[in-house]
Amino acid sequence: MKKTAVIVQLVMIAGVVIYGTVSLFMGNFEAAYTTFPVLFFFYIFVVAKQKRRQSAQQDEPGPDDPDRERD
């Protein structure tokens, strides 16, 4: 399931980047700049997800963590 979602996201983002690049080279600046909000929101979504994972991993003490409570 995760692999399918990643492939779909990559295809969508690649499509947006290609569309924006082609529009830019054709001189259609309005169409080229409309792709930036999509890329921006996708970037924010990915960065927020990674930060949540990192903070969750840092909150859990590992087996060799000296501050870990002993049973």
Side-chain angles (χ1 to χ4, degrees):
M1 179 64 181
K2 288 183 181 182
K3 189 174 184 179
T4 306
V6 170
I7 291 172
V8 169
Q9 288 178 356
L10 286 174
V11 168
M12 288 177 57
I13 294 303
V16 168
V17 169
I18 291 170
Y19 174 76
T21 304
V22 169
S23 297
L24 193 61
F25 279 111
M26 293 179 67
N28 191 357
F29 297 113
E30 185 177 332
Y33 287 126
T34 57
T35 61
F36 289 131
V38 174
L39 296 174
F40 180 72
F41 287 126
F42 182 76
Y43 174 76
I44 294 297
F45 175 74
V46 169
V47 168
K49 193 175 195 179
Q50 287 177 351
K51 286 193 178 186
R52 274 187 263 133
R53 281 186 189 163
Q54 287 176 354
S55 67
Q57 289 175 352
Q58 290 175 353
D59 290 343
E60 296 178 4
D64 58 346
D65 190 8
D67 295 334
R68 185 176 149 195
E69 293 181 19
R70 306 283 179 197
D71 290 330

